[in-house]
Amino acid sequence: SVDEQIRFFESLICPGVCLIEGLGTPERLDREFAGKPMEALARKIVGKLNQHPVRSTNYGVMRKTAESAKQGADYDMSNPLSMHTDHSVYHGTPGFIQFLYQAE
């Protein structure tokens, strides 16, 4: 509802975080499906997400495996990743909202 969207944005501004529970689980856990529940909710709340020009999805997938860690510092689970905008296709575009979704 519009009232829930307003509450979401007000909470996002102060105190700066929102917790949404009961989002559901994805149909499958492979890259193309893992973030679909989060993507659908984000679209309802804020609209279309930024689409990286070389990614097939508009979300990234991180896994806590030894194989994933070989992909670089962004996948080092011992050092949590902070919000960043270096993947933005528009130079200088600030990050305002970051969604994190635990699929499994």
Side-chain angles (χ1 to χ4, degrees):
S1 76
V2 172
D3 289 339
E4 288 173 334
Q5 285 178 296
I6 291 169
R7 259 192 15 244
F8 172 83
F9 284 114
E10 287 174 345
S11 294
L12 192 62
I13 293 166
C14 184
V17 66
C18 298
L19 176 63
I20 300 171
E21 297 180 297
L23 190 54
T25 56
E27 183 181 321
R28 300 192 323 244
L29 291 175
D30 54 306
R31 180 173 300 281
E32 300 298 319
F33 290 87
K36 290 292 183 185
M38 180 274 310
E39 179 183 43
L41 177 69
R43 183 175 288 273
K44 287 178 187 175
I45 295 172
V46 298
K48 187 175 186 290
L49 299 173
N50 184 40
Q51 178 66 48
H52 191 282
V54 298
R55 288 188 181 158
S56 60
T57 64
N58 54 18
Y59 52 85
V61 175
M62 297 175 69
R63 302 183 190 279
K64 190 174 182 177
T65 65
E67 192 61 33
S68 299
K70 294 177 186 174
Q71 296 180 52
D74 284 357
Y75 298 88
D76 178 1
M77 297 299 167
S78 66
N79 184 17
L81 180 64
S82 297
M83 186 169 168
H84 60 290
T85 58
D86 62 324
H87 294 271
S88 178
V89 295
Y90 305 106
H91 180 69
T93 302
F96 178 66
I97 299 174
Q98 180 174 2
F99 289 87
L100 298 173
Y101 167 66
Q102 185 169 342
E104 68 175 330

